[in-house]
Amino acid sequence: MRLSRYFLPILRETPKEAEIVSHRLMLRAGLVRQQAAGIYSWLPLGQRVLSRIERIVREEQDRAGAVEILMPTIQPADLWRESGRYDDYGKEMLRIVDRHERDMLYGPTNEEMVTEIFRSYVSSYKALPLNLYHIQWKFRDEVRPRFGVMRGREFLMKDAYSFDIDEAAARISYNKMFVAYLRTFARMGLTAIPMRAETGPIGGDLSHEFLVLAETGESGVYCHKDVLDQPVPGEGFDYSGDLDAAIAPWTAYYAATEDVHDQERFEREVPEDKRLHTRGIEVGQVFYFGTKYSAPMKATVAGPDGVERPVHSGSYGVGVSRLAGAIIEASHDDDGIIWPDSVAPFAVGLINLKPVDEATSAAAEGIYERLTKAGIDVLYDDVDNRAGAKFATMDLIGLPWQVIVGPKGIASGEVEIKRRATGERETLTIDAAINRLV
Ligand SMILES: Nc1ncnc2c1ncn2[C@@H]1O[C@H](COS(=O)(=O)NC(=O)[C@@H](N)CS)[C@@H](O)[C@H]1O
């Protein structure tokens, strides 16, 4: 992509309304634009990051055996009347009346709708276990949206829903999602700690939140320091194998959000030098809630004995849009964002220091062409601008690699490459630089 033909609305000034670093950097780097309280447009660079986050989430859901669907954002209120949540969901629900005076709503979550889909087609235990998921926008009329996309009103969520014959089977589905979450966040360069949590309006009695430790996190957390060093299951993990062995290291240590924290137990179980009390950003949450929706909505299957019974379910959410902010909170410096390779909007920022100089531009064009042909996503700064401004912008938007092409270097057939995360620079021949990046 040539910068001269792109749309990258960088802000020079730090917007005053931004209270935390990720909000400031997302606005300054031209990733998002607020359209209303808690509601954002995703501009080109932000949209690319969002799609890369989605791709990792999707790959790990598919690996864990979940099946992707896409449910609508607008839902009929009657579904929520069946489950009894229509009234008690409260003011966070955006209620809508259509032209035929029908009560609708902008979905804050999809337990009722996915249960309706399930009950319409599945009647035998032989179809179980089943896990359906989608990646869809949600609306929650937060009384105080803040911190940019971290706590929005319209936000993108991956929400998965499992259906099983009984609690024991449902816990296996729960554990598969637990492992998938360990992998998902690790692939984004995040250490997300699973912690026991409250179940809230979703319901049930078993839930873990996955929290990225960050001073600006909204959740207070207490944990044993060693939980931060536990192994993440590998790419070839066998989901039909021993899930407990993969999860045990993570649940063996004390880790709880403030709403379920037990100080007395914390002090009893965790040696003083291992006690960590900090804050975290909740990037995902998993719930087991049994028949909370299947019973009132009559989502039943005939068991092996032919007896009809309500299925046992769980739901599993990931804050896809929140993750864009959480990753920046976990990975930035004074000069701007530092994108992990896996979610970076472009892999390389190619800087032509002197577009008016023929030899420099010829070299830069050649590098752009060879990298692009090799399948590397390049943002090519071909704009005639001061070197300082070019470097500042490239550091701000945080692409993992920079290739700097200038007249002096080209005179000796060399370019400079810079690794954004470490600041390390190397002067290499053009061929060596390209070989380093492909
Ligand atoms: N207001 C919000 N803005 C941005 N992300 C949010 C917001 N509310 C929740 N999230 C993200 O969405 C994830 C799932 O939301 S949740 O309420 O915990 N869970 C559910 O909605 C369940 N239905 C799981 S499918 C959270 O872990 C969080 O990362």
Side-chain angles (χ1 to χ4, degrees):
M1 176 58 69
R2 295 172 189 280
L3 192 56
S4 57
R5 296 189 200 136
Y6 199 48
F7 178 54
L8 180 60
I10 300 286
L11 296 183
R12 285 275 155 267
E13 301 307 315
T14 299
K16 60 190 177 316
E17 76 273 14
E19 296 169 73
I20 61 172
V21 66
S22 59
H23 190 191
R24 283 198 293 277
L25 292 176
M26 288 187 84
L27 294 173
R28 283 197 52 216
L31 273 67
V32 293
R33 176 177 178 73
Q34 180 171 317
Q35 305 294 174
I39 299 176
Y40 290 84
S41 290
W42 290 77
L43 305 173
L45 217 50
Q47 193 281 329
R48 283 178 79 98
V49 169
L50 209 50
S51 72
R52 278 151 178 70
I53 291 171
E54 273 189 57
R55 183 174 60 190
I56 292 174
V57 169
R58 183 169 280 119
E59 281 172 2
E60 293 306 325
Q61 290 296 293
D62 295 349
R63 272 201 183 114
V67 178
E68 187 169 10
I69 59 173
L70 180 62
M71 291 179 271
T73 54
I74 305 299
Q75 305 183 22
D78 288 346
L79 271 183
W80 289 65
R81 289 189 175 111
E82 277 194 58
S83 69
R85 280 208 295 184
Y86 188 59
D87 294 324
D88 61 22
Y89 203 88
K91 295 177 80 65
E92 273 195 3
M93 181 178 278
L94 182 61
R95 299 163 199 269
I96 303 162
V97 179
D98 73 9
R99 63 183 300 170
H100 298 295
E101 300 297 308
R102 284 182 292 234
D103 290 331
M104 312 291 281
L105 58 97
Y106 189 136
T109 183
N110 285 64
E111 277 81 3
E112 284 80 359
M113 184 170 279
V114 78
T115 301
E116 193 279 334
I117 293 172
F118 175 86
R119 74 178 176 191
S120 304
Y121 301 106
V122 181
S123 56
S124 162
Y125 76 99
K126 291 185 180 128
L128 305 181
L130 179 64
N131 179 328
L132 299 175
Y133 81 93
H134 70 158
I135 300 177
Q136 179 57 288
W137 292 92
K138 303 287 185 296
F139 196 92
R140 293 182 187 178
D141 205 350
E142 301 269 354
V143 66
R144 193 161 167 256
R146 60 194 295 225
F147 297 166
V149 300
M150 206 68 91
R151 188 177 341 145
R153 290 199 293 164
E154 187 173 34
F155 59 96
L156 190 56
M157 184 199 293
K158 180 285 299 179
D159 36 321
Y161 303 88
S162 61
F163 302 90
D164 282 282
I165 186 70
D166 57 23
E167 178 168 351
R171 281 178 181 274
I172 291 172
S173 295
Y174 182 96
N175 289 342
K176 285 180 182 174
M177 288 285 98
F178 192 106
V179 171
Y181 279 36
L182 292 175
R183 289 189 41 73
T184 300
F185 302 123
R187 284 185 59 187
M188 297 176 194
L190 296 173
T191 301
I193 310 300
M195 300 196 176
R196 286 176 299 105
E198 279 291 354
T199 54
I202 303 291
D205 62 357
L206 169 64
S207 175
H208 283 85
E209 282 180 13
F210 286 72
L211 291 117
V212 172
L213 303 190
E215 284 308 314
T216 54
E218 293 197 300
S219 316
V221 300
Y222 297 79
C223 70
H224 188 302
K225 274 186 189 144
D226 293 358
V227 77
L228 299 172
D229 309 321
Q230 295 315 304
V232 172
E235 190 166 316
F237 181 78
D238 175 6
Y239 279 95
S240 59
D242 186 351
L243 294 158
D244 292 331
I247 290 171
W250 296 87
T251 50
Y253 295 94
Y254 188 96
T257 54
E258 58 196 353
D259 42 24
V260 293
H261 170 60
D262 174 346
Q263 184 63 23
E264 194 265 328
R265 189 178 148 211
F266 187 52
E267 288 170 8
R268 194 174 64 242
E269 285 183 14
V270 184
E272 191 152 0
D273 63 327
K274 292 285 188 181
R275 288 178 203 155
L276 185 58
H277 173 207
T278 179
R279 306 198 66 74
I281 302 167
E282 180 205 320
V283 290
Q285 184 160 3
V286 290
F287 300 83
Y288 164 70
F289 45 70
T291 59
K292 174 172 181 227
Y293 301 92
S294 59
M297 297 182 70
K298 298 181 181 38
T300 60
V301 296
D305 53 8
V307 175
E308 286 291 317
R309 67 197 74 190
V311 290
H312 284 246
S313 286
S315 66
Y316 316 91
V318 168
V320 174
S321 51
R322 175 177 284 185
L323 274 162
I327 292 168
I328 295 173
E329 288 295 328
S331 183
H332 68 273
D333 64 11
D334 292 342
D335 297 327
I337 301 166
I338 300 176
W339 290 117
D341 295 89
S342 59
V343 296
F346 292 94
V348 173
L350 174 61
I351 301 174
N352 179 343
L353 288 180
K354 201 162 179 141
V356 296
D357 176 85
E358 222 169 280
T360 306
S361 287
E365 290 290 336
I367 293 168
Y368 178 56
E369 218 166 282
R370 287 172 65 185
L371 288 175
T372 305
K373 273 211 182 79
I376 306 290
D377 283 329
V378 178
L379 182 60
Y380 171 23
D381 179 353
D382 60 348
V383 175
D384 191 9
N385 198 349
R386 288 180 307 101
K390 288 169 169 278
F391 291 135
T393 294
M394 214 47 95
D395 285 345
L396 172 64
I397 66 174
L399 303 183
W401 288 102
Q402 294 174 20
V403 176
I404 299 149
V405 185
K408 278 209 291 301
I410 289 308
S412 47
E414 292 176 325
V415 295
E416 188 179 44
I417 67 170
K418 174 179 155 185
R419 182 71 175 157
R420 175 68 180 86
T422 60
E424 268 167 79
R425 296 164 179 275
E426 262 187 279
T427 301
L428 300 166
T429 63
I430 290 178
D431 287 349
I434 287 172
N435 291 337
R436 178 66 62 84
L437 298 171
V438 298

